[in-house]
Amino acid sequence: MQTAMPHISMTTLDGFESFLETRHEPDWLTQRRRDAFALYQSLCEVELEPEEYRRIDLRLFRPDSYHLVSQQPESGQASRFSTLMEHRGEFGGSVAHTDGHPVKSHLEPELLEQGVICCDLGEAVCKHEELVKEYLMTRAVLPDADRFAAWHAAFWTGGLFLYVPRHTSIEKPLHSLIGLATAKVADCSHTLVVLEEGAEATLLEETASANEKDAGLHVGAVELIVASEAKLRYVQLQNWNESVFHFAHQCGRVQRDGSLQWTVGSLGSKFSHIHQDVMLDGKGAEAQVNGVAFATGRQKLSFYTSQWHKAAHTHSDLLYKEVVRDRSRMIWRGIIDVAAEAQKTDSYQRNDSLILSNDARVDAIPGLKIEADDVRCTHGATAGQVDEEQILYCMSRGISRDEAMHMIVNGFFQQVFDRIPVEIVRETLSQSVQTKLGFNN
Amino acid sequence: MSLKLKIENLHVRVGETPILKGVNLEIAQGEIHALMGPNGSGKSTLAYALMGHPKYEITEGTISIDGTNINDLDPCERARLGMFLAFQYPVTIPGVKVADFLRLAVSNVRHPERKEGESLISMREFRTELRETMKQLNMDAEFARRYLNDGFSGGEKKRMEILQLAMLKPKFALLDETDSGLDSDAVRVVSEGLAKLSGPEMGVLIITHHERLLEYNKPDFTHVMLAGKIVETGDASLAHELHAHGYAEVRKRHPEEAAQEEEQQQEATV
Ligand SMILES: Nc1ncnc2c1ncn2[C@@H]1O[C@H](COP(=O)(O)OP(=O)(O)OP(=O)(O)O)[C@@H](O)[C@H]1O
Ligand SMILES: [Mg+2]
């Protein structure tokens, strides 16, 4: 008989204490968790920032209906995820998690010799304590950001830790798979990437559910620390089943002449809210942010993106493309924030959405907050439907209505795909879109 | 044996408004027909109705290819039977490369049974064919990699229609003012292009207000449309006469249709 896994509540102090007992972590970390849990409890009493959350209806979300598991359940061990990227490319290293617990990890020996660290964050706490202590939720995602950040800081379990030493560049991409395999389980994985000066890396991360229907929760955080002249490409492809709630605080910080290329693919989940900050901290820093989001059925996907220009001569370029169908809903709120000292900022922000059904809805609200006077900032949002004349034109060339629709939607996303230099990401995204359109089914 | 596209007593309306009021026309493969007529007489309406545009509703009459009624076929099915319309106003499809669009279209038209997801024609052969066809039409190979009509000039869009015609090799090609909006060099390229493409395998219907296209593609028949009917049919000299003298004489010869035309115009301005 299978032994029942103790369920750890994430909303009660008892639950939190029993969670701590399973962790065996250094005192500083335990203390940080305690502070975060206290913060979580007090933040639950205050209203969420209206600008970010007012368009989102959280009434259907019941935090106490999910739990953590102290070990990976047996059901999860054998689970197979239909990963989109894992078998497509050759990776320099990879880490996989199921139900919040690491299940495998691998790094090429040459990279290990060069001082690259690519492992699960729990292991990193033991083996690279000082690094984790220095970077974990100290400068990018802060526990006091809001209740979800605090909740994550209290309960984070696995996640990927990637550290690339100075002037080390990793050619092959690294891969991280975060899976949920058991109903009602919460994943609180944390992605922490630190690139030292002049380092280069590409990390492809994807989330997936083993079962099509199981409810689940993700309360995650992503921190991307890019030092001077370092170059990071990060892709996160959210592909949970359509019963998962997904909350994530994500922040990238880029130092002088560093560069971050960040692609967010959102296809799965019942409901998702991503808070995404890009901070250009050093002169000449640049970031490109790409978003590909496709909602169907009754999915609700929400994004809150900020481009923070904190130093002179910084450059950011954000393009989100969204498609909604059926009764789904998409919300995007974007801000460009230029500090007084960030002269010569060049910032671009654009959101395009395509609405495929009458009952689907998009709210896209761009925004600017500029304190410097010598800057170039452009922003805009468009929303529209597939033009029937486009479909007829295709049909008059022998292309069926469905084929035409698929081609037009793919073409709509193409402008973002064109910006993504990693081929397997382009292909994966394009195929996921096609699959979701119902093609190949 | 040459196929015939036959239009019999065709009545078409847009919304509540009847536009075509009994059009009869027969086009055989290998023939060139010119369709002329004043603005608003229904030429584009005929072209769209032949292509199967759902806004143009057939209320009476038939369209048939070699005896088979195609009234109820959608545009995709008609294209696969060998019909082609070069649009007066081609649409833009952002993010879809000319080459990808054409490879899919050519695959479907050459293999009419093909379903979505089934294999496409060989990439290598297609590329070679596309490159050569573009060269013949004096088109920069770069266009194949651009998004369909995205940022194209008016003339470039028209050439793109001719390129599609060349690749799809239809049995019946309808050209709706493919020569308008072009500079005179482009008119020549398009006219020469069409002359090269048409032949015994292709029936052509040229809708035009200009003479150049017809100089290169001498019509076997010229039809004049007035108020939704073909009121006269002649040879190439009729086209020439209309160009020289306009439609006043035609209206005089067909007072009933001329009156209807006037009525319709008045309604439109109310
Ligand atoms: N989609 C439509 N909606 C409303 N009216 C239409 C539509 N298409 C055609 N019509 C009307 O039908 C009549 C015939 O139009 P059509 O475009 O067929 O003329 P045409 O002969 O092609 O003219 P032109 O020489 O200006 O291109 C016009 O009165 C026009 O306003
Ligand atoms: Mg017309």
Side-chain angles (χ1 to χ4, degrees):
Chain A
M1 215 193 91
Q2 195 176 331
T3 40
M5 275 301 138
H7 290 181
I8 299 171
S9 155
M10 295 170 67
T11 50
T12 63
L13 187 57
D14 281 354
F16 177 66
E17 290 298 338
S18 57
F19 168 71
L20 284 183
E21 278 167 29
T22 66
R23 295 301 297 177
H24 319 293
E25 287 168 342
D27 290 344
W28 63 267
L29 183 51
T30 306
Q31 193 53 49
R32 283 193 196 174
R33 288 189 188 275
R34 284 188 190 286
D35 294 346
F37 188 71
L39 196 56
Y40 166 68
Q41 288 188 306
S42 63
L43 286 172
C44 281
E45 302 302 314
V46 298
E47 193 199 0
L48 285 158
E49 171 61 45
E51 192 46 49
E52 178 167 353
Y53 287 95
R54 122 168 85 96
R55 292 170 194 86
I56 304 169
D57 184 0
L58 285 174
R59 280 173 304 184
L60 283 178
F61 173 60
R62 311 217 44 93
D64 51 11
S65 60
Y66 305 92
H67 56 263
L68 295 169
V69 283
S70 57
Q71 284 173 35
Q72 202 224 351
E74 277 169 36
S75 60
Q77 287 166 6
S79 33
R80 292 278 172 276
F81 298 97
S82 54
T83 86
L84 296 169
M85 293 192 279
E86 194 177 5
H87 305 293
R88 279 170 191 267
E90 201 188 329
F91 299 109
S94 67
V95 175
H97 284 77
T98 302
D99 292 338
H101 296 273
V103 288
K104 73 182 174 204
S105 114
H106 133 90
L107 181 67
E108 284 187 352
E110 307 89 87
L111 295 176
L112 196 65
E113 270 162 39
Q114 289 170 21
V116 172
I117 303 167
C118 176
C119 64
D120 94 78
L121 190 56
E123 183 186 336
V125 171
C126 302
K127 296 193 181 154
H128 312 282
E129 188 176 338
E130 286 314 308
L131 279 174
V132 175
K133 189 174 177 184
E134 183 180 348
Y135 289 105
L136 181 69
M137 299 194 84
T138 55
R139 60 196 72 199
V141 176
L142 303 180
D144 63 359
D146 64 25
R147 71 173 76 144
F148 294 105
W151 208 18
H152 171 84
F155 284 105
W156 70 263
T157 53
L160 176 116
F161 179 58
L162 171 64
Y163 175 85
V164 188
R166 292 183 60 177
H167 301 297
T168 303
S169 101
I170 308 181
E171 294 276 315
K172 288 183 199 159
L174 304 159
H175 181 253
S176 160
L177 171 65
I178 300 163
L180 277 172
T182 313
K184 302 275 179 177
V185 165
D187 166 82
C188 297
S189 54
H190 189 103
T191 302
L192 177 58
V193 178
V194 179
L195 259 55
E196 296 283 22
E197 213 177 291
E200 264 188 54
T202 301
L203 171 61
L204 313 181
E205 188 160 71
E206 57 183 319
T207 73
S209 303
N211 308 304
E212 209 177 300
K213 293 256 150 56
D214 287 348
L217 170 67
H218 169 85
V219 183
V222 173
E223 301 188 278
L224 311 172
I225 312 291
V226 181
S228 301
E229 293 171 37
K231 188 171 175 194
L232 175 65
R233 287 169 179 166
Y234 173 68
V235 176
Q236 193 193 44
L237 181 53
Q238 185 270 98
N239 199 30
W240 302 118
N241 72 21
E242 291 183 20
S243 304
V244 170
F245 278 84
H246 176 96
F247 295 95
H249 270 273
Q250 313 189 329
C251 178
R253 301 203 71 146
V254 189
Q255 295 297 331
R256 186 181 46 78
D257 295 325
S259 120
L260 170 62
Q261 192 196 48
W262 188 346
T263 300
V264 176
S266 288
L267 298 161
S269 82
K270 175 191 180 75
F271 174 100
S272 111
H273 179 67
I274 293 178
H275 178 115
Q276 184 188 31
D277 286 317
V278 170
M279 300 199 183
L280 301 163
D281 292 308
K283 197 174 164 195
E286 62 173 30
Q288 187 195 65
V289 184
N290 303 313
V292 172
F294 184 10
T296 57
R298 288 175 172 269
Q299 286 184 292
K300 292 189 174 62
L301 308 181
S302 155
F303 304 89
Y304 188 87
T305 68
S306 308
Q307 295 151 264
W308 302 87
H309 290 261
K310 293 168 175 285
H313 295 278
T314 48
H315 177 55
S316 73
D317 177 355
L318 175 142
L319 174 66
Y320 263 66
K321 288 255 188 186
E322 294 145 0
V323 174
V324 287
R325 201 185 69 192
D326 310 324
R327 307 178 69 89
S328 64
R329 180 145 186 236
M330 194 84 72
I331 298 156
W332 173 81
R333 173 80 176 104
I335 303 272
I336 292 176
D337 188 304
V338 184
E341 58 273 29
Q343 298 295 4
K344 306 280 181 200
T345 279
D346 185 352
S347 187
Y348 180 81
Q349 179 198 56
R350 184 176 175 94
N351 183 294
D352 294 326
S353 46
L354 187 62
I355 303 164
L356 302 184
S357 345
N358 291 332
D359 295 325
R361 187 174 150 191
V362 174
D363 294 279
I365 307 122
L368 294 175
K369 195 167 152 260
I370 300 174
E371 274 158 33
D373 50 25
D374 182 12
V375 299
R376 205 175 74 172
C377 294
T378 333
H379 71 155
T382 65
Q385 294 177 320
V386 175
D387 186 353
E388 188 61 23
E389 295 299 323
Q390 286 179 332
I391 292 184
L392 282 165
Y393 185 84
C394 295
M395 288 177 79
S396 78
R397 302 301 184 242
I399 296 167
S400 72
R401 176 171 284 274
D402 283 353
E403 276 179 315
M405 187 67 119
H406 296 164
M407 193 167 68
I408 290 165
V409 170
N410 214 59
F412 174 77
F413 282 127
Q414 189 61 43
Q415 204 187 344
V416 191
F417 297 160
D418 284 348
R419 289 158 49 116
I420 302 171
V422 187
E423 194 185 345
I424 73 161
V425 175
R426 273 200 310 270
E427 279 179 6
T428 306
L429 280 169
S430 165
Q431 278 205 2
S432 325
V433 166
Q434 293 287 340
T435 306
K436 201 162 168 173
L437 277 163
F439 180 59
N440 281 344
N441 278 359
Chain B
M1 208 201 75
S2 90
L3 296 179
K4 273 199 179 75
L5 172 66
K6 202 164 174 183
I7 301 152
E8 289 166 287
N9 189 32
L10 193 70
H11 287 67
V12 169
R13 73 172 179 211
V14 180
E16 289 303 303
T17 321
I19 310 285
L20 299 187
K21 297 161 188 162
V23 174
N24 292 292
L25 182 63
E26 223 179 279
I27 301 172
Q29 277 182 301
E31 291 175 357
I32 297 179
H33 293 244
L35 179 61
M36 302 182 65
N39 294 130
S41 55
K43 304 181 296 295
S44 293
T45 301
L46 176 63
Y48 282 127
L50 289 175
M51 215 45 237
H53 193 302
K55 260 197 209 156
Y56 298 78
E57 190 194 342
I58 298 176
T59 52
E60 219 186 310
T62 55
I63 305 168
S64 60
I65 292 179
D66 221 35
T68 310
N69 186 324
I70 63 164
N71 280 24
D72 294 331
L73 301 188
D74 73 21
C76 171
E77 295 166 313
R78 295 186 195 196
R80 291 183 190 206
L81 284 179
M83 304 271 292
F84 179 91
L85 169 62
F87 283 76
Q88 187 169 4
Y89 306 105
V91 306
T92 297
I93 307 185
V96 175
K97 289 197 180 85
V98 167
D100 295 336
F101 178 84
L102 265 174
R103 185 163 169 234
L104 182 56
V106 168
S107 300
N108 286 349
V109 168
R110 291 191 196 163
H111 304 279
E113 300 302 314
R114 184 185 170 276
K115 298 205 171 49
E116 178 163 27
E118 294 178 2
S119 61
L120 298 168
I121 55 168
S122 133
M123 179 63 116
R124 270 190 50 211
E125 283 162 37
F126 170 76
R127 275 206 186 133
T128 311
E129 186 182 338
L130 181 62
R131 202 178 321 114
E132 277 165 15
T133 311
M134 292 180 86
K135 210 156 109 194
Q136 278 174 22
L137 294 172
N138 274 339
M139 289 179 78
D140 192 334
E142 184 54 37
F143 274 93
R145 284 188 288 275
R146 284 179 64 178
Y147 296 142
L148 187 64
N149 291 331
D150 196 2
F152 286 23
S153 74
E156 286 165 350
K157 285 183 189 172
K158 295 294 174 79
R159 277 197 213 196
M160 193 46 67
E161 296 294 290
I162 295 296
L163 173 65
Q164 296 184 35
L165 175 102
M167 292 296 291
L168 293 171
K169 303 189 175 65
K171 298 189 176 77
F172 298 100
L174 320 168
L175 287 87
D176 193 356
E177 298 201 24
T178 303
D179 52 357
S180 64
L182 296 181
D183 64 39
S184 57
D185 289 348
V187 173
R188 187 176 43 79
V189 172
V190 164
S191 307
E192 285 174 353
L194 179 64
K196 267 186 240 164
L197 296 168
S198 63
E201 301 290 297
M202 197 187 290
V204 185
L205 180 70
I206 299 173
I207 298 173
T208 181
H209 293 294
H210 309 283
E211 218 167 351
R212 279 289 283 292
L213 190 48
L214 300 180
E215 278 169 19
Y216 287 83
N217 300 274
K218 187 163 175 256
D220 302 303
F221 303 94
T222 300
H223 311 276
V224 187
M225 188 170 270
L226 192 61
K229 270 186 209 153
I230 289 179
V231 292
E232 282 185 20
T233 294
D235 56 15
S237 65
L238 175 60
H240 188 71
E241 185 206 308
L242 293 172
H243 279 125
H245 306 295
Y247 293 100
E249 290 299 318
V250 175
R251 288 192 178 99
K252 261 188 218 155
R253 291 198 289 267
H254 304 277
E256 202 181 313
E257 282 79 10
Q260 280 178 15
E261 184 189 25
E262 204 167 320
E263 215 171 276
Q264 207 172 338
Q265 277 165 359
Q266 265 160 11
E267 270 170 33
T269 50
V270 172

